Amino acid sequence: MEGLGDARFRIALHADGRGGFTEACKEFIRIPGTLPRGAVAEKIVKNLCARYDADELGNVPLGAQIMGSDAELLTLAAKHLGEDKNAPRVDLNCGCPASVVTGKGAGSSLLKDPKFVYDAVRAVARGVEGTNAIVTMKLRTGYDDSGLLRENLCAARDAGARFISLHARTRAQGYSGRANWDDIAFAKEVLGDDVPIIGNGDVTSPLRCAELLRVSNADGVGIGRGAVQDPLIFRRIAATVKRDVNGVWRVTEDAFEREFEVDFVVTFLRTFAEEVFKTENKLNSKRGSGVQERELEAFKVGKLKSIVKYLFAGNEALKPHIQEVMRIDPLKMSAEDALDTIERLVVREWVTPQHVLVDAFSARAQYQK
Ligand SMILES: Cc1cc2nc3c(=O)[nH]c(=O)nc-3n(C[C@H](O)[C@H](O)[C@H](O)COP(=O)(O)O)c2cc1C
């Protein structure tokens, strides 16, 4: 996920080298709609892709995701990622609902016409030709409605997508209501065994993962917000979601002791903080006195708060403490002490999260300082 789910988050989730997820994780790169051609474009695209590191997590390969609408630039970016950066896959973003993106013809607005989807996937496929990278696509079920879902899926398949992740909401839905997993089942019917489908939307627990798999017959599951609410979710699923003797997806007993969960979450928080503090210290020493100590401290505390909004909101016992953390004033409390406060709350209150789903975008604005 862009922003919240950036490298710091991924590294924290994988702190003990066993985050539980597979290659579905990816770094997001936004390619501008228009650029001068030739060497200038190449330089800009290289700079945009500079922070992508296929080996970021060591034993789990990291995919790259690009978002754009200009076929030539998509090809250029995909080629650079496959050839020079050794990306295992380049995923095309056809899901982003933000108007600043759709206004430029990228993200979910490609879903308005299957030809846009075909051309964009084809452009990425051209770019990775002759490299080890595969082309994949992430989409929503449609722009205003899901009327073109079949055509968009077929366009992606025909253009070379090797697997497809489907967030079962339209762009118009944003994050409202429930994800419609029947649309994932529909996608499976349309594509059969040609192109695997990763079902996505509202999976926050092993139970909901098993439900999605049962309803849709998807080949895999993608998780966004649930991973911030419950950093153990991938392991929980790997340990407890299994097919029964009849081949039906079921959940076995919850596998983890509270002590193990608390240790994991504390390590997650510490690693996340370490990554945030490290990056920002580097930035500070580069800029010399340009960045005020106070601003830096506010930045670090802000990052911790952004995690807490999700981590605590999905947890019945921690939820009542969100305001307490949001009220932390970086002028009065250092980021180190803020981390300490958050950790103590986790150690004292942590319970296994239930099926709560935090709305990504309202959660950002909901809690005031
Ligand atoms: C903060 C945030 C950032 C996201 N960034 C991306 C992104 O960069 N690329 C992408 O394909 N999806 C992105 N998504 C969408 C998620 O991958 C996922 O499709 C969506 O959140 C629905 O799944 P969930 O119910 O498991 O959260 C983002 C979601 C959130 C909440």
Side-chain angles (χ1 to χ4, degrees):
M1 297 193 299
E2 184 198 8
L4 189 64
D6 60 10
R8 302 156 181 142
F9 173 73
R10 291 191 295 260
I11 290 168
L13 216 51
H14 200 59
D16 64 353
R18 296 192 297 136
F21 44 80
T22 54
E23 196 262 325
C25 217
K26 63 209 176 204
E27 172 85 50
F28 169 82
I29 300 150
R30 185 166 160 195
I31 310 296
T34 50
L35 278 182
R37 293 309 196 232
V40 180
E42 269 175 45
K43 193 164 171 218
I44 295 174
V45 164
K46 265 188 191 169
N47 282 341
L48 289 168
C49 298
R51 65 166 189 230
Y52 168 74
D53 173 8
D55 299 322
E56 174 193 280
L57 295 172
N59 57 352
V60 177
L62 183 73
Q65 183 183 58
I66 55 179
M67 183 167 77
S69 55
D70 180 313
E72 219 175 299
L73 296 175
L74 288 173
T75 301
L76 199 61
K79 184 171 160 58
H80 174 57
L81 286 162
E83 224 165 63
D84 308 325
K85 307 282 280 184
N86 215 14
R89 74 163 164 136
V90 181
D91 188 62
L92 177 74
N93 182 317
C94 295
C96 182
S99 44
V100 36
V101 167
T102 55
K104 297 203 169 93
S108 57
S109 74
L110 290 170
L111 304 174
K112 287 178 183 173
D113 185 336
K115 187 171 171 351
F116 298 160
V117 170
Y118 180 88
D119 289 346
V121 176
R122 200 63 217 116
V124 179
R126 257 197 310 276
V128 300
E129 243 162 49
T131 76
N132 289 328
I134 58 163
V135 184
T136 61
M137 181 179 80
K138 160 82 182 292
L139 79 163
R140 283 181 174 244
T141 51
Y143 191 75
D144 289 322
D145 57 53
S146 57
L148 288 173
L149 181 55
R150 175 192 296 276
E151 289 78 2
N152 282 330
L153 291 164
C154 293
R157 175 197 60 200
D158 297 345
R162 297 276 293 279
F163 70 80
I164 291 176
S165 310
L166 178 60
H167 176 189
R169 285 188 175 86
T170 61
R171 190 257 356 157
Q173 278 177 284
Y175 280 84
S176 64
R178 272 288 181 94
N180 184 3
W181 293 342
D182 289 342
D183 282 339
I184 304 174
F186 175 76
K188 265 311 288 174
E189 273 169 42
V190 169
L191 294 178
D193 292 329
D194 292 351
V195 183
I197 292 284
I198 309 296
N200 167 237
D202 299 357
V203 172
T204 50
S205 65
L207 208 62
R208 290 195 49 80
C209 176
E211 245 174 88
L212 182 147
L213 290 169
R214 271 201 306 270
V215 168
S216 69
N217 200 26
D219 301 281
V221 174
I223 299 176
R225 293 165 293 171
V228 203
Q229 290 177 216
D230 179 9
L232 281 138
I233 193 162
F234 297 104
R235 291 168 159 239
R236 244 186 251 295
I237 287 173
T240 63
V241 177
K242 317 241 186 261
R243 284 186 194 270
D244 68 14
V245 285
N246 300 314
V248 179
W249 289 104
R250 305 248 178 240
V251 181
T252 57
E253 282 289 288
D254 212 343
F256 304 134
E257 301 284 339
R258 180 177 187 275
E259 199 185 343
F260 170 81
E261 296 203 1
V262 169
D263 274 358
F264 187 94
V265 176
V266 166
T267 307
F268 162 79
L269 281 167
R270 280 190 194 158
T271 313
F272 177 79
E274 213 174 279
E275 291 296 315
V276 171
F277 298 177
K278 193 165 72 186
T279 323
E280 299 322 311
N281 288 341
K282 237 193 292 173
L283 191 75
N284 198 26
S285 64
K286 253 197 214 157
R287 287 193 194 158
S289 57
V291 177
Q292 299 294 316
E293 187 65 25
R294 271 196 339 217
E295 282 174 52
L296 201 57
E297 221 47 28
F299 175 88
K300 293 179 193 172
V301 172
K303 281 281 175 194
L304 294 176
K305 286 181 182 178
S306 70
I307 285 285
V308 164
K309 274 179 214 167
Y310 285 87
L311 187 68
F312 284 21
N315 199 297
E316 277 312 302
L318 282 163
K319 203 170 169 183
H321 297 281
I322 296 179
Q323 286 293 6
E324 195 179 324
V325 176
M326 294 307 124
R327 275 198 295 267
I328 291 176
D329 179 350
L331 293 175
K332 296 187 185 135
M333 190 190 278
S334 71
E336 303 279 355
D337 288 345
L339 175 63
D340 218 46
T341 304
I342 296 164
E343 265 186 39
R344 268 187 281 113
L345 285 166
V346 167
V347 171
R348 205 178 69 207
E349 306 284 354
W350 180 264
V351 289
T352 300
Q354 299 304 312
H355 328 298
V356 183
L357 194 64
V358 179
D359 180 308
F361 298 100
S362 60
R364 283 180 188 174
Q366 193 179 345
Y367 301 103
Q368 302 300 324
K369 270 195 199 166

